[in-house]
Amino acid sequence: MKHYLGVGIVGNFANHLEQAGEASDFCGICSEENAPKGIFPFYVPNHEKLQRFCFDNQKIILPEDSTLCVQAEPEVGIECDITYENGYIKTLVPKFFMAFNDASVRNDKNAKKISQKKNFSTGCKGYGNKIAIDSFQEGGVCDDFSIASFIKIDGKIHAYGECSPLLNYSFFYNKLLDWLIQKLNYQEDMVVLEDMHHIIKNNNFPEKCIIAIGATRYTHLGETRFLQNGDEVNILVFNHKKYDPNTLESLLREDRLPNDEKNLSILKQKVEK
């Protein structure tokens, strides 16, 4: 992962931006209804401000500045191979998907770009075990998967994000890939977004990337509570033909989640200062 490009998608799940208090940042960006708003980088190996390796699959490390408030962002991560033609991305080839946490600072008034809220520590991103993608289109493995998330506070488990099928993402499959390629190649530096082609070129055209494809809607607790030392965030991407979320929640309470890496991607992170 140290040589991967890490990027995220803004607004690929209806109403998440409103819950995160960030919808106003995109007033000047036009797009079709419920379409994602843009792409942001969160890890770029050769970038002056984003080169800190920020993945930790066991813990979320809060910012050194204790006034900064952090929320987890439960979502699906997709690992892709990248090919280029004449200095621009030609194809993105999805290889794996997984549970992903794109934790974000919410109240940094000095942050002018989304990326400045993202790489805040050596443990601000995390991913579960990877599940192979047979075909990233209708009829493929992703059809059968959903995402759910939970937070453990003082030993008690609570729902953190709404349980949602992956097909509920606004853009998915070929529509998502086509949009991603266009944005990675041609997104301009405007408002809170950045020129992604410039970043990719300056990073010597990486051959692999991890894409956080958008955070789900929060429950009321997830929307209104910031992470605190000692919390535990659990994000599950699961085959909903084999598991139901209520059963998984019960197994999580009993600390008995199955080791079923083909049908269940698990990310469990303890929050630390």
Side-chain angles (χ1 to χ4, degrees):
M1 296 291 286
K2 289 188 175 181
H3 303 291
Y4 284 37
L5 173 71
V7 299
I9 298 175
V10 186
N12 197 21
F13 221 102
N15 302 126
H16 171 79
L17 282 175
E18 288 78 6
Q19 289 185 316
E22 296 178 340
S24 61
D25 292 341
F26 300 92
C27 290
I29 298 175
C30 298
S31 61
E32 67 179 90
E33 187 177 1
N34 292 330
K37 304 300 183 184
I39 297 174
F40 59 86
F42 59 76
Y43 173 64
V44 184
N46 296 324
H47 192 282
E48 180 183 359
K49 297 180 180 179
L50 298 173
Q51 65 181 350
R52 172 169 48 197
F53 190 72
C54 55
F55 297 94
D56 192 316
N57 297 335
Q58 281 74 48
K59 55 192 175 184
I60 300 167
I61 302 174
L62 297 174
E64 291 183 4
D65 183 349
S66 61
T67 67
L68 296 179
C69 299
V70 173
Q71 283 178 304
E73 293 203 357
E75 47 197 289
V76 173
I78 297 179
E79 180 181 317
C80 295
D81 290 346
I82 309 173
T83 66
Y84 297 89
E85 185 175 81
N86 299 322
Y88 288 84
I89 293 175
K90 182 180 180 182
T91 65
L92 290 173
V93 183
K95 294 293 187 178
F96 301 95
F97 70 106
M98 68 213 78
F100 197 90
N101 180 14
D102 174 34
S104 181
V105 170
R106 295 299 186 209
N107 63 330
D108 187 350
K109 295 182 179 180
N110 294 319
K112 304 302 181 184
K113 301 293 185 182
I114 297 174
S115 62
Q116 295 171 316
K117 301 178 181 180
K118 295 294 183 177
N119 192 325
F120 57 80
S121 76
T122 57
C124 59
K125 301 288 176 278
Y127 57 93
N129 51 287
K130 300 175 182 180
I131 301 174
I133 294 175
D134 53 356
S135 175
F136 195 65
Q137 57 186 345
E138 188 176 350
V141 63
C142 294
D143 281 4
D144 298 336
F145 278 76
S146 293
I147 179 171
S149 57
F150 305 91
I151 187 168
K152 182 185 285 187
I153 303 171
D154 297 329
K156 295 183 179 180
I157 295 290
H158 308 270
Y160 190 77
E162 293 181 7
C163 180
S164 304
L166 271 55
L167 295 182
N168 278 7
Y169 275 105
S170 296
F171 280 23
F172 204 58
Y173 291 148
N174 285 336
K175 187 173 186 178
L176 174 63
L177 295 179
D178 291 344
W179 179 88
L180 277 165
I181 291 170
Q182 196 277 333
K183 290 297 180 182
L184 288 167
N185 284 332
Y186 302 112
Q187 177 174 283
E188 298 178 353
D189 189 302
M190 60 180 297
V191 197
V192 296
L193 301 177
E194 292 164 82
D195 182 333
M196 290 303 304
H197 176 69
H198 177 76
I199 289 172
I200 290 168
K201 181 179 179 180
N202 285 353
N203 202 51
N204 301 316
F205 303 103
E207 296 179 351
K208 291 183 179 291
C209 63
I210 185 79
I211 302 170
I213 68 169
T216 58
R217 288 184 295 271
Y218 292 115
T219 61
H220 178 71
L221 183 146
E223 180 181 359
T224 56
R225 187 182 188 278
F226 297 117
L227 298 181
Q228 298 179 20
N229 185 47
D231 291 348
E232 182 183 270
V233 173
N234 295 267
I235 302 171
L236 311 177
V237 172
F238 62 95
N239 186 330
H240 52 235
K241 291 187 173 180
K242 185 167 183 179
Y243 301 105
D244 70 80
N246 292 330
T247 299
L248 290 174
E249 183 174 356
S250 296
L251 292 171
L252 180 61
R253 292 179 192 279
E254 299 167 7
D255 198 23
R256 292 196 301 114
L257 286 173
N259 182 19
D260 184 1
E261 295 196 347
K262 289 185 177 181
N263 293 293
L264 182 60
S265 177
I266 303 170
L267 175 61
K268 182 179 291 190
Q269 293 172 295
K270 193 73 175 285
V271 179
E272 298 183 4
K273 291 182 179 180

